[in-house]
Amino acid sequence: LSITFITGNKHKVKEAKGIFENFGIELEHTDLGYPEVQGELVDVAKFGAEYAASKLEGPAIVEDAGLFIKALNWFPGTYSSYVQETLGNKGILKLMNDVEDRYAEFRSVIGYCTPKAEPEVFLGAVPGHIAYEERGNYGFAYDPLFIPEGYDKTFGELTTDEKNEFSHRRMSLEKFASWLNEHAAS
Ligand code: ITT
Ligand code: NA
């Protein structure tokens, strides 16, 4: 079984490949570029998947993810890409300077679509909190800021394999993989 992951983010591809190894799904990667409507992760993923499937003329997945910080009213949330490119992690740390409640979660929504069917979505989330400084050289983007619940290391200090054991992306992709195994039984 082979699925095409449409993304411009090579770190996501690396993580997804590692996760799918456990589920016997082969992952192709194409950076097709798809229009990202601003909005809820679910809507972005649905729209992107539908667009990608029709462009590819085959089954495709896309993912919309983000970091949601409670004390900031769940900012950057759906603005995570833009905020990572502008404020960056240093900017987030500044906003969190005097903030005691550091609860945050990473969320991931996988959108899956084929040319003939309606898009399906699969949600994953992981709770944690925002560190007081960036830590670790593994991972990407917000990883050095995020300490998953029950750990004292940031995602930036965990290897890809360690992060893959319980990340938001692991959850959404695992839900997708189980769904696919049920529905693609030929
Ligand atoms: P595509 O949309 O092309 O897949 P992207 O990097 O724009 O790639 P998202 O919109 O899903 O991905 O991600 C929003 C932002 O959150 C972006 O800056 C990502 O780098 C960051 N991000 C997503 N998943 C992450 C993770 O597991 N760890 C750290 N940062 C992450
Ligand atoms: Na994006």
Side-chain angles (χ1 to χ4, degrees):
L1 204 46
S2 162
I3 298 287
T4 304
F5 188 11
I6 307 297
T7 176
N9 185 325
K10 61 180 195 311
H11 305 281
K12 286 186 176 183
V13 178
K14 186 183 178 208
E15 290 185 9
K17 283 195 166 151
I19 292 164
F20 276 172
E21 270 176 13
N22 299 317
F23 297 98
I25 297 171
E26 210 177 295
L27 197 68
E28 305 282 337
H29 169 228
T30 306
D31 184 6
L32 190 70
Y34 62 91
E36 263 187 56
V37 292
Q38 184 57 48
E40 299 297 316
L41 300 189
V42 164
D43 298 325
V44 176
K46 273 188 187 166
F47 182 86
E50 205 158 17
Y51 176 91
S54 83
K55 262 276 164 82
L56 274 181
E57 300 181 353
I61 57 171
V62 304
E63 185 208 32
D64 201 32
L67 177 66
F68 292 73
I69 302 174
K70 188 177 175 202
L72 302 181
N73 242 319
W74 307 111
F75 181 85
T78 58
Y79 299 100
S80 290
S81 281
Y82 179 74
V83 170
Q84 179 60 217
E85 280 163 24
T86 51
L87 297 181
N89 289 346
K90 301 231 166 15
I92 295 285
L93 285 173
K94 255 190 197 155
L95 293 175
M96 293 296 286
N97 209 5
D98 294 321
V99 178
E100 248 173 64
D101 176 5
R102 307 195 66 92
Y103 181 84
E105 52 194 56
F106 264 123
R107 297 181 196 160
S108 158
V109 178
I110 295 293
Y112 168 73
C113 201
T114 65
K116 282 182 189 157
E118 292 295 309
E120 302 278 344
V121 288
F122 304 89
L123 279 60
V126 60
H129 47 276
I130 301 298
Y132 285 91
E133 71 283 307
E134 293 181 81
R135 284 177 3 216
N137 298 315
Y138 293 120
F140 62 99
Y142 297 105
D143 280 342
L145 287 187
F146 184 79
I147 303 168
E149 208 160 282
Y151 286 73
D152 49 19
K153 288 179 173 178
T154 67
F155 266 174
E157 294 172 303
L158 299 182
T159 64
T160 300
D161 283 347
E162 288 170 331
K163 180 181 170 189
N164 271 350
E165 278 172 34
F166 64 96
S167 71
H168 49 311
R169 185 159 295 111
R170 164 61 178 267
M171 287 176 75
S172 58
L173 284 174
E174 188 169 332
K175 282 187 194 168
F176 164 66
S178 324
W179 181 90
L180 193 68
N181 281 335
E182 272 173 38
H183 288 75
S186 49

